[in-house]
């Protein structure tokens, strides 16, 4: 049986416990910022998740990296070796089969217009493959995606390089600091892998230093004359004017839909040419990074390896993959090849 004094003491403890719980509750709530219905959803970007840091993650700041490939081969094995070496997460979605009649019908689009240059068979197949992968981006409702061809190469420092690209693209598009997207959102196509691009005085351009940029003296290709107009040992970001080759290009959600709308109907020489023309006309909002950060890897020239487009056009390749896959080739305009470092432990810049 409880005595009156003991009951009083127990009530004191109960009151103290209730007061302590109330104080702890108010303290815990005070740790969270008050909700303001007029404030944007993201009011600041935490330092640990700053846009430039996100651009250096395993998908280079995009929601996904997708490789265009129709089958496992030396191309995909080298691609995945380079990805593993540089810590990139690359998916290779299976390509759906193409009926020959669909390819033939696509090739014939615009045949009554003599001013339209239509794709050859191999280029038509490649074009449709790009469209299928872009449809995958749309169907997956990806916010952004980087699409690359399966024989591309990049520098071993690609994750650090893309942090610099993030800063430059955000600067070029005047992206506010409160916008957390690594490259902002003011673009449809971000063209970071190509075989050349035009540049002239008067282009609004953001220049930035990159320790891994290919210097003028080692740059190869048709665009060398334009590259030499740029400051050496620097990259440039500007509105796309004449990029050629779709080695690697990023699409925003709306950009993917727009590419299907404006480039999906054929009537051109090749997918990359049609995409370039649409960018040049500013039907698409496209941004180029020059010199490129992704370029095609070439097996040794002595093996006369054919591209998938050339094979699609009926050209025959004499060599088997086993003949050249373990022999180091080269990559133009990439100082420290991720493929060659991963597969052969060496650099393979073509000079």
């Amino acid at each position: 049986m409880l005595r009156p004094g003991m009951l009083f003491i127990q009530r004191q403890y109960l009151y103290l416990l209730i007061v302590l719980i109330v104080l702890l509750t108010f303290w815990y709530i005070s740790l969270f910022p008050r909700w303001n219905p007029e404030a944007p959803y993201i009011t600041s970007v935490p330092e640990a998740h700053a846009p430039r840091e996100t651009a250096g993650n395993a998908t280079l700041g995009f929601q996904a990296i997708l490789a265009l490939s129709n089958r496992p081969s030396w191309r995909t094995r080298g691609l995945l070796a380079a990805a593993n070496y540089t810590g990139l997460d690359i998916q290779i979605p299976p390509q759906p089969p193409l009926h020959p009649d669909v390819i033939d019908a696509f090739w014939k689009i615009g045949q009554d217009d003599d001013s339209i240059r239509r794709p050859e068979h191999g280029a038509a197949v490649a074009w449709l493959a790009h469209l299928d992968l872009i449809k995958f981006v749309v169907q997956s409702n990806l916010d952004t995606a980087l699409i690359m061809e399966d024989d591309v190469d990049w520098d071993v420092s690609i994750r650090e390089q893309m942090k610099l690209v993030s800063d430059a693209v955000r600067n070029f598009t005047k992206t506010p600091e409160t916008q957390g997207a690594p490259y902002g959102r003011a673009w449809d196509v971000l063209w970071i892998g190509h075989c050349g691009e035009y540049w002239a005085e008067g282009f609004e351009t953001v220049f930035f230093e990159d320790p891994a940029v290919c210097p003028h003296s080692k740059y190869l290709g048709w665009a060398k004359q334009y590259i030499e107009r740029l400051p050496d040992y620097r990259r440039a970001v500007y509105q796309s004017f004449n990029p050629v080759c779709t080695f690697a290009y990023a699409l925003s959600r709306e950009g993917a839909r727009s590419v299907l709308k404006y480039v999906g109907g054929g009537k051109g020489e090749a997918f990359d040419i049609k995409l370039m023309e649409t960018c040049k006309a500013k039907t698409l909002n496209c941004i180029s990074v020059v010199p490129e950060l992704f370029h095609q890897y070439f097996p040794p020239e002595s093996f006369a390896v054919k591209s998938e487009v050339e094979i699609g056009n009926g050209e025959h390749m004499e060599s088997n993959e086993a003949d050249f896959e373990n022999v180091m080739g080269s990559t133009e305009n990439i100082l420290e090849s991720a493929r060659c470092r991963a597969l052969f432990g060496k650099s393979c810049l073509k000079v």
Side-chain angles (χ1 to χ4, degrees):
M1 182 175 181
L2 293 175
R3 297 176 183 176
M6 294 177 63
L7 184 62
F8 174 75
I9 293 172
Q10 285 189 344
R11 286 177 178 174
Q12 274 190 320
Y13 280 120
L14 179 61
Y15 293 149
L16 286 173
L17 180 61
I18 293 172
V19 170
L20 182 60
I21 291 173
V22 170
L23 290 174
L24 286 173
T25 301
F26 278 108
W27 174 79
Y28 184 74
I29 292 174
S30 71
L31 294 178
F32 294 88
R34 295 182 179 180
W35 179 67
N36 180 358
E38 297 182 356
Y41 179 69
I42 298 176
T43 57
S44 63
V45 181
E47 186 63 29
H49 300 285
R52 72 182 331 265
E53 297 304 316
T54 305
N57 68 13
T59 56
L60 302 178
F62 305 105
Q63 195 168 354
I65 301 178
L66 307 174
L68 182 70
S69 184
N70 62 4
R71 61 184 175 85
S73 69
W74 64 269
R75 294 179 173 86
T76 56
R77 287 187 287 272
L79 179 83
L80 295 177
N84 183 63
Y85 189 86
T86 51
L88 296 188
D89 179 8
I90 298 178
Q91 303 174 49
I92 309 178
Q95 278 285 316
L98 289 172
H99 193 282
D101 290 349
V102 173
I103 300 170
D104 187 57
F106 187 82
W107 175 75
K108 289 179 179 178
I109 294 175
Q111 63 180 332
D112 297 330
D113 188 342
D114 293 335
S115 66
I116 295 176
R117 185 172 179 180
R118 292 177 291 128
E120 296 185 10
H121 183 273
V125 173
W127 194 329
L128 288 167
H130 275 278
L131 295 179
D132 279 335
L133 193 51
I134 297 171
K135 290 174 185 176
F136 175 82
V137 172
V138 173
Q139 291 164 344
S140 301
N141 197 31
L142 295 178
D143 184 54
T144 57
L146 176 61
I147 294 176
M148 57 176 62
E149 296 177 356
D150 61 358
D151 56 356
V152 300
D153 200 358
W154 55 87
D155 197 275
V156 295
S157 64
I158 186 64
R159 293 173 67 163
E160 292 302 314
Q161 289 179 306
M162 292 305 291
K163 293 180 183 180
L164 302 175
V165 173
S166 168
D167 292 339
V169 171
R170 289 172 63 87
N171 186 1
F172 178 74
T173 57
K174 300 175 176 60
T175 299
E177 292 183 3
T178 53
Q179 170 56 259
Y183 306 95
R185 297 194 176 277
W187 51 273
D188 294 318
V189 181
L190 184 57
W191 213 317
I192 57 178
H194 48 80
C195 55
E197 164 70 294
Y198 179 90
W199 185 84
E201 293 287 348
F203 283 14
E204 182 182 355
T205 308
V206 171
F207 298 102
F208 63 97
E209 294 184 0
D210 180 352
V213 69
C214 183
H216 294 170
S217 60
K218 297 181 179 180
Y219 191 90
L220 299 177
W222 67 269
K224 184 177 178 66
Q225 59 180 313
Y226 306 114
I227 293 294
E228 290 179 339
R229 297 176 181 177
L230 301 169
D232 208 355
Y233 298 99
R234 283 178 171 79
R235 291 196 199 276
V237 167
Y238 54 91
Q239 201 78 34
S240 297
F241 187 82
N242 194 74
V244 182
C245 303
T246 46
F247 294 148
Y249 59 98
L251 299 172
S252 64
R253 177 184 279 113
E254 289 305 313
R257 294 178 179 276
S258 295
V259 170
L260 291 175
K261 179 178 179 180
Y262 297 112
V263 185
K267 298 183 181 180
E269 179 181 351
F271 173 77
D272 65 321
I273 301 299
K274 185 69 172 182
L275 183 60
M276 176 269 288
E277 292 172 347
T278 312
C279 289
K280 192 171 184 177
K282 297 185 179 180
T283 305
L284 294 171
N285 184 7
C286 310
I287 296 174
S288 292
V289 181
V290 178
E292 66 273 20
L293 291 102
F294 293 81
H295 201 95
Q296 185 179 21
Y297 168 84
F298 294 92
E301 293 181 4
S302 59
F303 292 97
V305 178
K306 304 295 183 182
S307 69
E308 293 290 346
V309 172
E310 291 171 329
I311 293 173
N313 289 337
E315 296 188 32
H316 180 66
M317 190 167 72
E318 299 294 337
S319 302
N320 295 316
E321 291 188 12
D323 297 334
F324 61 81
E325 186 167 359
N326 296 318
V327 182
M328 189 173 74
S330 62
T331 304
E332 295 178 3
N333 308 331
I334 303 297
L335 281 188
E336 186 65 50
S337 159
R339 277 189 184 245
C340 288
R341 184 59 63 183
L343 295 173
F344 307 105
K346 300 178 182 179
S347 178
C348 62
L349 176 67
K350 186 175 182 180
V351 293

